[in-house]
Amino acid sequence: MTAVTPAPDDAPATPALRGCWDTVARTLADAGVRMVLGLPSDDPGLLDAATAVPELRVGVIGDQRIAACAAAGYATAARQPVVLALNSGPSFANAMAGLLEASSLSLPVVVITTRVPAEDIGRGAFQYLDQRRMVESLAGWTHLVDTPEQLVWAVRRAVELAVSDGPCLTVLEITDDVTARDVEQVPAAGPVRRPRSAPPSAELDAAAAALRAARRPVVIAGGGTRWADTGRLGTLADLLGSPVFTTASGRGALDEHHRRAHGLVGLYTTPPAHDLLDDADTLLVLGSRMEETARMGWRSWRGAPVIRADTRPAAFSEAGPVAQPLLGDVGLTIDALTDRLAADLPRSDPDWTARQDHVRAEQVKHTAADFADSPVRAVLRAAQRELGTRITLVQENGLHDIWTYHFPVLRLGPDTTVVCPGEQTMMGFGLGAAVGAALARPDRPTLLVTGDSAFRMSVGALDVLRRLDLGVITVVLDNQGFGWPRRLRAADPTGPHVSTAWEAAAPAEHTAEVFGGWGTAVHDTTALDEAMGRAAEHALKGRFSVLRVPVPDTDVPLGIRAAGY
């Protein structure tokens, strides 16, 4: 019998090994991820491994397209990175529309997907897709993990770049060769933190001097301000005597009850606030790409000096010339400019504030409409009365639901969370995004306002709401068809035109009941108030509701009319 000699106390320990997906899940949790969304794969994968990690929550979503929208909704509402678990081929392709929105919104979404073995590529591999080529124009970073030694580094880097580089979409492919292997366990490194740096002092001084000299400054806050850790935007606006407009994704940067708040910029501007935009002599643009819809309906963005703050160098040349670029964290930039202007006050035109007060008074008049004149505005007022401002508002971008973008038809507070599509405005975004938003903010009601066509496109999300006990209140504005095409075709009656009418065999409220929710149709003010109250009660119990509101083609938002559509 051979004796076994014990190893000395200082002998190196044998490295601990874990399965690939267990390693991925634990690395994600260590990096600060808290939610993983997706569908179960044929073989146990990331979702399965994530259920064994206490720090991670798993959301099983029955459709990859809806799951990608849910990831966008979660990242927006939680202000945290989220992981979308996919598989090679149709699973990945089905998620692309939602990933398009996540990319356009600059959201920290990490996609982790499988890839077929290298030896099978080009040889008729089952469900092979060149996923990286498909997504590389949308993602801030893509990487192929084809050796076990890369796995932990790549997963952590994907989270770090998603959080800090914009934020942005990142994509990891893990080969089947790696998923079948055990991986060496590595020490925990702790949560990823977004690095923050302010622009150089000399550039901030120059920007402050230009703002100090402006007579009619205007502040435009984009989606980047939503990620800024500051609450001083209102103070900055008061020092400047400046109106504040936001882009759709920047809404929530300033309490809309603030005296300087004038709602959204561009297509969604509520008249007569375009006058303020047109007369601006200096623009301070904070964390916005100034996309096409933000530039609609006003002219000064073409000629007025622009001071622009952003974390991305590429942003400064996207929409037009910038007189003074400020490269750095938007929140730190706001703080630095506020301190400089407080120490040496600007000389804005005293009539500029008086004009702003007049414009706000005129904007308020657009909220006045009874149910017969504007069912949509009546619905939004009822929601405001019943739910207050402590809600998560999820938006689509159809013909009638654009009313939700118009201040002060719906006036949001500092406690309102807003989830909206990006510049791609995919039809059907809202229901999926509402799933993610409700998972992120279970402490408050989630209100979705959508059209009937968008509702049909993602109706499967209702089953997810039921399964996850998410009390989302969905208002379906039903014009029985496709509103945008119908309106555009009405301006050109020469034809021939395909029909834009679509009368559903099962009205939305009946569909809700089939999926286990509560639904009703609303035809007048009395029914509206009762329905909204019942929906709020159901939401508290984790039961979703669908309120179908028939709307006429004439109930068209202000921005659509102003743009000539």
Side-chain angles (χ1 to χ4, degrees):
M1 186 173 183
T2 304
V4 177
T5 303
D9 293 340
D10 58 351
T14 301
L17 299 177
R18 292 188 183 277
C20 167
W21 293 121
D22 182 61
T23 297
V24 172
R26 292 176 185 276
T27 303
L28 291 171
D30 177 51
V33 172
R34 293 295 174 262
M35 176 63 73
V36 181
L37 301 171
L39 278 69
S41 53
D42 292 348
D43 298 317
L46 177 54
L47 292 183
D48 305 274
T51 61
V53 179
E55 297 90 343
L56 294 177
R57 297 167 63 197
V58 174
V60 176
I61 313 292
D63 179 278
Q64 294 93 351
R65 179 177 181 272
I66 292 171
C69 294
Y74 183 92
T76 303
R79 297 180 64 204
Q80 291 180 350
V82 61
V83 169
L84 177 63
L86 298 173
N87 288 307
S88 175
S91 168
F92 190 90
N94 197 29
M96 281 300 297
L99 297 182
L100 189 66
E101 286 297 355
S103 175
S104 72
L105 289 164
S106 297
L107 295 174
V109 175
V110 178
V111 176
I112 297 181
T113 184
T114 57
R115 201 203 72 170
V116 302
E119 68 173 353
D120 290 332
I121 294 176
R123 302 172 66 183
F126 179 66
Q127 293 187 333
Y128 170 68
L129 180 68
D130 193 344
Q131 297 163 146
R132 293 174 67 194
R133 284 189 64 185
M134 178 178 286
V135 78
E136 63 186 1
S137 65
L138 306 180
W141 186 64
T142 64
H143 186 73
L144 174 66
V145 180
D146 55 3
T147 65
E149 293 75 19
Q150 286 189 325
L151 185 64
V152 173
W153 166 83
V155 170
R156 187 169 181 88
R157 180 166 171 78
V159 179
E160 287 177 340
L161 291 177
V163 169
S164 62
D165 194 14
C168 71
L169 171 72
T170 60
V171 180
L172 278 188
E173 285 186 298
I174 304 177
T175 66
D176 283 1
D177 310 325
V178 174
T179 63
R181 300 271 298 277
D182 288 335
V183 181
E184 182 178 339
Q185 193 177 352
V186 299
V192 165
R193 302 194 183 280
R194 182 169 65 94
R196 304 175 69 202
S197 61
S201 294
E203 295 181 9
L204 288 166
D205 290 341
L211 291 169
R212 203 174 287 116
R215 303 287 284 171
R216 298 181 305 279
V218 167
V219 175
I220 297 173
T225 58
R226 295 271 300 278
W227 299 87
D229 295 323
T230 182
R232 301 179 71 187
L233 180 58
T235 303
L236 177 61
D238 283 335
L239 288 168
L240 287 170
S242 168
V244 176
F245 293 84
T246 72
T247 64
S249 60
R251 198 174 186 185
L254 181 67
D255 180 1
E256 292 184 347
H257 297 84
H258 193 284
R259 180 185 182 184
R260 302 291 177 182
H262 285 78
L264 275 70
V265 66
L267 178 63
Y268 312 117
T269 299
T270 305
H274 292 95
D275 296 341
L276 298 176
L277 289 163
D278 278 335
D279 289 346
D281 66 356
T282 302
L283 300 176
L284 175 60
V285 180
L286 302 168
S288 172
R289 300 170 71 174
M290 289 295 288
E291 61 270 15
E292 180 184 3
T293 54
R295 304 192 304 267
M296 286 182 174
W298 57 294
R299 300 178 298 275
S300 68
W301 65 269
R302 295 181 181 274
V306 176
I307 302 167
R308 189 163 177 176
D310 211 290
T311 58
R312 301 169 301 115
F316 299 120
S317 59
E318 281 181 336
V322 175
Q324 296 191 42
L326 297 174
L327 180 62
D329 180 83
V330 173
L332 295 178
T333 301
I334 291 172
D335 291 343
L337 291 175
T338 301
D339 291 340
R340 283 165 170 77
L341 294 174
D344 186 2
L345 296 176
R347 303 187 302 273
S348 61
D349 186 341
D351 291 336
W352 192 229
T353 291
R355 287 184 60 185
Q356 294 170 49
D357 292 341
H358 171 73
V359 166
R360 275 177 64 89
E362 292 297 310
Q363 287 180 299
V364 170
K365 295 178 181 178
H366 293 294
T367 63
D370 59 27
F371 192 94
D373 293 334
S374 177
V376 183
R377 279 182 280 178
V379 165
L380 298 181
R381 288 204 310 278
Q384 193 99 77
R385 288 193 302 270
E386 181 64 39
L387 303 176
T389 59
R390 193 171 183 273
I391 62 171
T392 298
L393 172 66
V394 182
Q395 299 171 289
E396 286 274 2
N397 204 281
L399 180 63
H400 303 288
D401 49 59
I402 285 179
W403 272 119
T404 62
Y405 294 80
H406 275 287
F407 162 89
V409 175
L410 192 61
R411 187 178 301 201
L412 309 183
D415 51 357
T416 307
T417 299
V418 183
V419 176
C420 67
E423 62 207 50
Q424 298 295 330
T425 64
M426 64 170 283
M427 185 183 291
F429 171 82
L431 263 176
V435 170
L439 285 170
R441 301 306 301 264
D443 58 323
R444 60 190 57 202
T446 297
L447 172 68
L448 164 66
V449 182
T450 185
D452 55 312
S453 298
F455 176 80
R456 281 193 299 274
M457 286 191 73
S458 297
V459 72
L462 296 181
D463 210 24
V464 183
L465 296 178
R466 175 198 60 80
R467 188 176 184 278
L468 299 179
D469 297 322
L470 302 176
V472 173
I473 302 170
T474 298
V475 175
V476 178
L477 305 175
D478 186 1
N479 63 9
Q480 297 195 342
F482 304 99
W484 271 108
R486 183 156 64 230
R487 186 169 181 84
L488 295 177
R489 282 161 172 72
D492 177 20
T494 57
H497 298 309
V498 297
S499 175
T500 57
W502 190 300
E503 184 178 356
E509 66 272 24
H510 294 171
T511 302
E513 293 172 356
V514 168
F515 279 97
W518 176 78
T520 189
V522 174
H523 297 278
D524 55 47
T525 302
T526 302
L528 172 60
D529 289 337
E530 180 182 351
M532 195 62 70
R534 288 192 63 184
E537 293 174 1
H538 285 301
L540 291 174
K541 300 174 183 177
R543 187 185 185 195
F544 74 86
S545 302
V546 174
L547 281 59
R548 182 176 65 88
V549 183
V551 295
D553 286 351
T554 54
D555 196 359
V556 178
L558 299 165
I560 302 304
R561 299 179 209 163
Y565 292 114

